[in-house]
């Protein structure tokens, strides 16, 4: 995965409000109206955070009437987990070359 997409994924995890949003979504899909009540933020602030989460691919949204409903993307979550595992695992091939 390229560095730009990688940075979008990790940016999604770098804010307390976005972490709160992800925790809320763990129990299933939520309407933006409910998240606004629980987070005590303004609608533009929630939209900003949701855009970052959706751009990362970790969260998906669907429009129903005038409200958006958000949920965690299984595919996006798997990509984020795999990416973290890849970035934090030692590449033995690189280590051998370094030691030689």
């Amino acid at each position: 995965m390229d560095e730009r997409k990688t940075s979008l994924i990790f940016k999604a995890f770098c804010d307390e409000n976005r972490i709160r949003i992800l925790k809320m979504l763990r129990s299933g899909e939520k309407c933006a109206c409910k998240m606004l009540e629980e987070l005590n933020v303004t609608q533009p602030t929630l939209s900003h955070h949701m855009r970052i989460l959706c751009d990362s691919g970790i969260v998906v949204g669907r429009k129903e009437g005038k409200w958006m409903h958000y949920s965690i993307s299984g595919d996006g979550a798997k990509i984020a987990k795999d990416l973290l595992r890849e970035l934090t695992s030692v590449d033995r091939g690189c280590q051998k070359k370094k030691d030689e």
Side-chain angles (χ1 to χ4, degrees):
M1 184 170 288
D2 71 22
E3 288 82 7
R4 185 177 186 296
K5 182 64 177 168
T6 300
S7 68
L8 287 174
I9 290 170
F10 285 105
K11 181 179 180 179
F13 296 109
C14 292
D15 182 89
E16 291 175 24
N17 282 321
R18 290 193 287 275
I19 298 299
R20 286 185 192 103
I21 290 166
L22 288 169
K23 285 181 176 182
M24 275 190 251
L25 295 177
R26 289 182 64 212
S27 63
E29 183 181 77
K30 295 277 185 295
C31 177
C33 59
K34 294 294 181 193
M35 291 192 291
L36 279 170
E37 292 171 7
E38 290 183 42
L39 287 171
N40 197 28
V41 297
T42 64
Q43 189 277 326
T45 299
L46 179 63
S47 291
H48 168 75
H49 289 304
M50 297 316 298
R51 179 176 179 156
I52 291 169
L53 288 165
C54 288
D55 285 351
S56 74
I58 296 166
V59 171
V60 292
R62 67 174 184 83
K63 192 163 176 80
E64 186 176 298
K66 68 176 190 168
W67 290 106
M68 287 294 292
H69 295 258
Y70 296 98
S71 59
I72 293 176
S73 163
D75 291 340
K78 182 181 180 331
I79 289 168
K81 285 186 242 181
D82 291 347
L83 183 59
L84 180 60
R85 188 176 301 112
E86 179 184 326
L87 288 172
T88 57
S89 64
V90 176
D91 184 345
R92 299 293 177 200
C94 288
Q95 184 129 10
K96 267 187 184 176
K97 290 177 188 175
K98 198 170 144 181
D99 292 340
E100 291 175 353

